[in-house]
Amino acid sequence: MRDKIVMVTGANSGMGLATSTELARRGARVIMVCRSEERGKIAIEEAMRQSGSQNMELLIGDLGDLDSIRRLAAEYKSRYQVLDVLINNAGVVSLKRKLTKHGFEMQLGINHLGHFLLTKLLLDRLMLADQGRIVNVSSGAYKVGKIHVNDPTLKKRYNIAKGYAQSKLANILFTKQMAVKLIGTRVTANCLHPGAVVTNLGVDRNTGFGKRVYTLLRPFFLSPEQGSQSALYLATAPEISEVSGEYFYRQKIQTLTPRANNMEDAQWLWDWSEKQVGL
Ligand SMILES: NC(=O)c1ccc[n+]([C@@H]2O[C@H](COP(=O)([O-])OP(=O)(O)OC[C@H]3O[C@@H](n4cnc5c(N)ncnc54)[C@H](OP(=O)(O)O)[C@@H]3O)[C@@H](O)[C@H]2O)c1
């Protein structure tokens, strides 16, 4: 990965931190995107220590805030001409229905829309890479998801499974539609399920609620380092340089359920997302 520049979102915790550390260890310049400067600084120090690389930079960006994403993309573009790999990893899961700054249901807003805007804004830099890659971290939870075209921000009958699964299905449909748009270019877009991994996902930072569940399940779950293998594979493997629009688990292409192969929904989501983010 020497001479390659990789951006990782949600880089201060869980798989984002593990992915950033390993890519730095393999010689890439790693741009760690975090929403909190404080948590980001602690994480980048840890990543530098563990990887033995100083070739890392912290950029601040909140994926739940479209203005912040625009600032983040502008800052990146003012410093770098090329982006080799964008790993859209940041994610949230929420028991209660919460909204982003611009009024989107939080999981769709952060997990999908924030990354949709970031990717679109950085696409010209990815196009300038020898072989640009977009890696979207989805989840097997997509299987119970549905795109609620009449109520995408889930004003009616919200529940956590409905919200999280819709956002992770959106990651896949975005990947597939993006891959169609990228035909004829050197840029690929793929997505993945990392497995069940012990991270901070769903853990309440103030109360610690959720930690105990992971403690109980730890023997059955992967570590963040193990969980990051799929993203690392999609970001680096030479043999998939021409593979695009696919969903991977354990480094293998997986067959998707009909809803995740529904290109009408993918087109609808793309058009809706463009409108929401003002593109
Ligand atoms: N863990 C699993 O079993 C599992 C399974 C399938 C898929 N996934 C997916 O894997 C990805 C990584 O999650 P993880 O399990 O490693 O969880 P994690 O430890 O909670 O990491 C999530 C990261 O996303 C960041 N983030 C959240 N909201 C953000 C925002 N508005 N702007 C910028 N960054 C934000 C978090 O930052 P803060 O620390 O500031 O909150 C954190 O760095 C997610 O997309 C998740 O859906 C996880």
Side-chain angles (χ1 to χ4, degrees), residues 60-72:
I60 303 303
D62 183 344
L63 286 150
D65 176 348
L66 302 178
D67 304 323
S68 171
I69 297 167
R70 289 182 192 282
R71 282 195 298 274
L72 164 68

Side-chain angles (χ1 to χ4, degrees), residues 24-97:
R25 202 187 61 73
R26 293 190 198 180
R29 177 157 185 81
V30 179
I31 312 302
M32 295 175 67
V33 172
C34 305
R35 62 173 154 178
S36 149
E37 186 156 12
E38 192 190 347
R39 290 193 289 280
K41 278 185 177 159
I42 295 170
I44 197 169
E45 272 178 29
E46 181 60 18
M48 283 179 172
R49 193 185 62 72
Q50 282 192 25
S51 64
S53 167
Q54 297 288 309
N55 197 9
M56 308 186 86
E57 185 177 354
L58 172 64
L59 289 186
I60 303 303
D62 183 344
L63 286 150
D65 176 348
L66 302 178
D67 304 323
S68 171
I69 297 167
R70 289 182 192 282
R71 282 195 298 274
L72 164 68
E75 197 175 351
Y76 182 85
K77 288 168 124 174
S78 71
R79 293 191 207 181
Y80 300 98
Q81 287 311 305
V82 173
L83 177 61
D84 292 283
V85 184
L86 171 61
I87 304 185
N88 289 320
N89 162 81
V92 287
V93 60
S94 182
L95 271 174
K96 292 191 183 145
R97 183 174 180 269

Side-chain angles (χ1 to χ4, degrees), residues 9-18 33-37 39-40 60-65 68-69 72 88-93 100 106 109-111 115 136-141 164 167-168 171 192-203 205 214 221-222 224 227:
T9 68
N12 62 286
S13 172
M15 285 179 271
L17 179 55
V33 172
C34 305
R35 62 173 154 178
S36 149
E37 186 156 12
R39 290 193 289 280
I60 303 303
D62 183 344
L63 286 150
D65 176 348
S68 171
I69 297 167
L72 164 68
N88 289 320
N89 162 81
V92 287
V93 60
T100 64
M106 198 170 77
I110 294 174
N111 303 357
H115 285 126
N136 295 323
V137 180
S138 176
S139 165
Y164 185 66
S167 76
K168 292 288 139 180
N171 290 156
L192 65 104
H193 169 51
V197 188
V198 177
T199 63
N200 289 314
L201 192 70
V203 175
R205 189 166 280 119
Y214 278 128
F221 274 41
L222 303 173

